[in-house]
Amino acid sequence: MSFSMQNFYDSFKSALLYAPVTIKLTAITFIVSLIFGAVIATIRNYRIPVLSQFFAFFVTVYLGLPTMVALLIYNLLFMTLYADVANAFHISVPISDVNPIIIGYFTLIIGTTCSISESIRGAFRGIEKVQYEAGYSIGMGRFKTLTRIIFPQMIPILLPGMQNSLIGLLKASNLVSAISVVEIMTGALLPSLLYYSYLEGYVAAALVYWIIGAAIEILAHFAEKRCGKYLKIATES
């Protein structure tokens, strides 16, 4: 099997053209999931009645569902519901004009939220109870104790896990190609359809993913190094 550098170059340029789609999908999903995951983990940590039990059950069950299966299920449900709603309210916009990336966001956010919530819940356990008591003793309420004492100490503990979650999300983002979203992988293979040679497209996509992943690791390394000083001071105190 021959490897054409020209084909690889064309595939690499095409992959870079659609890289913003993947980066945007990954970044927005991660930020939203981090917020929702923190809320779920906090609810479970404080064992709020009903909500704590519900999220414990939901997260446990949902983590066993493969992302691809969830994506296809949500896509079929969306198309079915959209057709029913369009007929009921006489909506003239065809489903082909609806951007399928919305389903990709929905699927990835739910799965990533469940995963991140477990990481944050584990970080909660890494904080000693004396830290909570210190906040309460100086008149801080539960919310201020969380935001000013607990969460800042959790950041250094969470960083390695969040880095892995972000890179895993980056790699999982190519699954949205199954519902016709053009991202790095699909973009890299577009020139291959002309040459009927797909090796160059796959290698080009892998290189672009590696570059983005390496950038994430470098940023995470500096963040860990900076937060490590805070963790050391907090532990000593």
Side-chain angles (χ1 to χ4, degrees):
M1 181 182 294
S2 60
F3 186 91
S4 171
M5 289 302 299
Q6 181 59 47
N7 295 355
F8 169 77
Y9 179 69
D10 292 340
S11 295
F12 184 75
K13 286 197 303 181
S14 183
L16 288 178
L17 183 64
Y18 292 98
V21 177
T22 296
I23 294 173
K24 183 179 178 181
L25 179 63
T26 302
I28 293 178
T29 298
F30 182 77
I31 293 171
V32 175
S33 299
L34 185 61
I35 296 171
F36 287 162
V39 172
I40 293 174
T42 303
I43 290 173
R44 295 183 64 187
N45 181 66
Y46 283 99
R47 299 179 181 178
I48 297 176
V50 182
L51 288 177
S52 177
Q53 289 81 357
F54 169 77
F55 284 125
F57 173 79
F58 179 81
V59 170
T60 301
V61 172
Y62 200 89
L63 285 176
L65 181 64
T67 304
M68 177 61 80
V69 176
L71 184 65
L72 296 177
I73 290 175
Y74 295 144
N75 187 49
L76 291 173
L77 289 176
F78 175 79
M79 290 190 295
T80 302
L81 292 174
Y82 186 85
D84 293 340
V85 172
N87 292 330
F89 294 94
H90 306 288
I91 299 175
S92 60
V93 179
I95 194 171
S96 58
D97 291 343
V98 180
N99 194 340
I101 200 171
I102 297 173
I103 305 168
Y105 276 117
F106 181 78
T107 305
L108 293 176
I109 284 174
I110 294 181
T112 308
T113 295
C114 292
S115 177
I116 287 179
S117 70
E118 289 294 271
S119 299
I120 296 177
R121 195 166 65 92
F124 267 119
R125 295 185 176 182
I127 305 298
E128 297 179 355
K129 291 184 179 180
V130 68
Q131 299 294 333
Y132 294 88
E133 295 171 356
Y136 301 149
S137 66
I138 59 175
M140 285 187 177
R142 182 174 294 180
F143 180 76
K144 284 188 176 181
T145 301
L146 275 175
T147 56
R148 296 186 180 182
I149 298 178
I150 305 304
F151 283 160
Q153 293 186 49
M154 287 171 58
I155 292 176
I157 301 174
L158 281 171
L159 275 177
M162 292 301 99
Q163 173 190 339
N164 291 334
S165 296
L166 184 55
I167 293 177
L169 177 60
L170 171 67
K171 293 186 288 187
S173 65
N174 73 331
L175 295 177
V176 299
S177 61
I179 56 173
S180 303
V181 176
V182 182
E183 35 68 63
I184 290 176
M185 176 65 76
T186 310
L189 294 178
L190 290 178
S192 300
L193 299 175
L194 300 175
Y195 308 128
Y196 295 101
S197 178
Y198 295 92
L199 176 60
E200 294 87 352
Y202 288 126
V203 174
L207 180 59
V208 175
Y209 279 119
W210 180 83
I211 292 173
I212 299 174
I216 293 173
E217 290 185 0
I218 292 173
L219 292 175
H221 173 73
F222 283 112
E224 284 184 39
K225 192 173 181 181
R226 189 176 185 86
C227 290
K229 298 178 181 179
Y230 178 86
L231 180 62
K232 184 178 180 181
I233 294 173
T235 303
E236 292 176 349
S237 60

